[in-house]
Amino acid sequence: MENLAYTPRGVLTPNRSLAELTWLRVGGPADWLFQPADAEDLAAFLAALPRDVAVFPMGVGSNLIVRDGGLHAVVIRLGRGFNGIAVEGDKVRAGAAALDAHVARKAAEAGLDLTFLRTIPGSIGGAVRMNAGCYGLYTADRLVEVQVVLRSGEIATIPAADLHLAYRSSQIPEGAVVISALFQAPKGDPAELEQKMADQMAKRDASQPTKDRSAGSTFRNPAGFSSTGRADDVHDLKAWKVIDNAGMRGARRGGAQMSEMHSNFLINTGGATAQDLEMLGEDVRKKVLQTQGISLEWEIMRVGEFKDPGAAESNE
C-alpha cells in the first residue's frame, strides 16, 4: 500500500487479525483491513487500489469462518459512517453496517413491518448479500434497491431485481461493497409489531443456542427455503432433520461441536480452530451424503487459506 495514490481518511491496518471480528472468534489475519470514513473515502480508496488486489467486504462476521492461514485481500469493514437508519414514508433506508435487529426495531417504532429482520444475526449488507430471511419472508420481498461502491470506485444504485436474489444468494458484482439498502414495508401498529418481535425472539431463544459462540445456521435447508414458523411447516428436508438422521447432533472435532440444542448450529465450545469448525462441518456433510444421499450446502461463508495444506485436500 506504500505506493497507493490516495491517502484514506479511514483506518487502514496491515496484517490485521480477523478472529475477534467474527462471531466464531477464529481465523488468521487479513493482509489489510480498511475501515472507511464514509462512502466517498471508500470510493476513492477502491479507485486507487491496484486492480490485482482482491477485495473482501466483511460485515459483523456473523456468518463467516476465516481460515487459520488468513486472507490475502483487503478486507473492507464498514462502521459508524454506514449505520444510519432513516424512515421515508413507507420506506426505510438503512446503511449496510446497521444491524438487522436495529432496522426492524426502528421501522416498528414508525409503524412499518420489517419484523422478519429482528431475529436475523448480522448487518444489512450481509442480509442483502445472503438474501437473509426467516418465517417465510426474505430480504428480496422488501428490498427496493441497494447502493454500492463498485470495485472501480464508482458509486452505483442497483435495483433489487438486478441482484437476482435467491435462497441465501445474490449476484452482487465482484468486489463491490454494499453501502446502503432501501426497503418498502407494509404498515402496522407499533405496539403489535413490538409484540410480534418479542414473540419471535422468545421462540428463537427457546430453540437455538443463542448464548453459544456460533455463526447461525451452518447449512442451507435442502428443501431450498427457510422455515416459515407456521404450524403446517414440514421438516423432512430441513438441515437439522437430515443432520439428526445422520446421527451427527452433538458431534465434535477438537473445540468444535454441532449443537445439542439445534443440530444445524456449529459452535466453538472454546479453543476451536477454524480448521476444527470447517472439518466438523465436512464430517457432517459426508455422513448426510452417505446416509441419505443429500449433499448439504454450506450457509456459513468460508474464506482464506488453510494453515495446514493437507486440509484443503481433505476438504475436496
Side-chain angles (χ1 to χ4, degrees):
M1 294 292 171
E2 293 74 24
N3 55 359
L4 195 66
Y6 170 72
T7 303
R9 288 177 286 116
V11 182
L12 182 61
T13 313
N15 200 36
R16 174 65 155 84
S17 168
L18 298 177
E20 67 271 25
L21 300 181
T22 71
W23 283 26
L24 282 165
R25 295 291 189 267
V26 296
D31 287 351
W32 295 88
L33 175 72
F34 181 45
Q35 297 159 283
D38 51 34
E40 291 69 30
D41 189 35
L42 175 59
F45 175 81
L46 288 177
L49 193 66
R51 290 289 166 269
D52 59 347
V53 177
V55 167
F56 180 72
M58 178 179 173
V60 292
S62 61
N63 187 46
L64 184 67
I65 291 174
V66 176
R67 293 178 176 130
D68 301 305
L71 192 53
H72 294 311
V74 176
V75 171
I76 310 283
R77 195 163 196 262
L78 306 182
R80 256 168 284 175
F82 298 87
N83 65 358
I85 304 166
V87 175
E88 307 164 3
D90 66 344
K91 295 186 176 68
V92 178
R93 190 175 295 278
L99 294 177
D100 301 336
H102 290 177
V103 175
R105 290 209 301 263
K106 190 90 181 261
E109 286 166 14
L112 295 175
D113 188 351
L114 291 176
T115 52
F116 78 97
L117 287 169
R118 178 65 184 91
T119 59
I120 297 174
S123 57
I124 290 297
V128 169
R129 194 167 284 274
M130 292 293 289
N131 188 21
C134 64
Y135 303 123
L137 268 180
Y138 298 90
T139 300
D141 296 319
R142 299 286 180 256
L143 188 66
V144 177
E145 64 187 30
V146 294
Q147 197 174 34
V148 302
V149 180
L150 297 170
R151 178 63 183 82
S152 62
E154 181 192 348
I155 297 177
T157 298
I158 304 177
D162 292 355
L163 297 175
H164 303 287
L165 296 163
Y167 176 55
R168 297 293 182 264
S169 70
S170 64
Q171 291 178 25
I172 293 169
E174 185 68 33
V177 182
V178 175
I179 55 173
S180 72
L182 183 67
F183 298 91
Q184 187 156 26
K187 289 185 164 55
D189 174 69
E192 286 173 14
L193 295 175
E194 193 57 52
Q195 187 55 54
K196 185 177 176 182
M197 291 190 294
D199 293 346
Q200 287 174 356
M201 292 297 289
K203 196 169 177 180
R204 184 191 74 169
D205 291 346
S207 63
Q208 296 177 9
T210 51
K211 305 231 172 351
D212 290 327
R213 196 174 283 175
S214 85
S217 297
T218 305
F219 301 106
R220 301 175 186 187
N221 284 329
F225 52 85
S226 297
S227 297
T228 63
R230 294 192 298 264
D232 62 354
D233 207 356
V234 288
H235 299 285
D236 307 0
L237 286 177
K238 295 287 171 61
W240 70 263
K241 185 74 166 72
V242 299
I243 292 168
D244 276 6
N245 292 348
M248 294 300 278
R249 182 181 287 258
R252 288 178 176 266
R253 185 192 265 250
Q257 182 184 20
M258 300 311 294
S259 169
E260 293 277 9
M261 185 178 192
H262 190 309
S263 52
N264 193 29
F265 277 66
L266 180 59
I267 57 177
N268 181 353
T269 63
T273 62
Q275 190 168 319
D276 289 340
L277 291 157
E278 187 169 1
M279 292 303 108
L280 176 57
E282 289 299 320
D283 291 344
V284 170
R285 292 185 68 236
K286 279 178 193 148
K287 198 75 186 291
V288 168
L289 188 61
Q290 283 167 6
T291 56
Q292 293 148 88
I294 292 169
S295 184
L296 284 177
E297 285 184 52
W298 282 90
E299 184 164 322
I300 296 174
M301 189 182 284
R302 291 107 47 240
V303 297
E305 310 290 322
F306 289 100
K307 209 167 199 173
D308 166 15
E313 283 146 40
S314 64
N315 193 31
E316 291 304 314

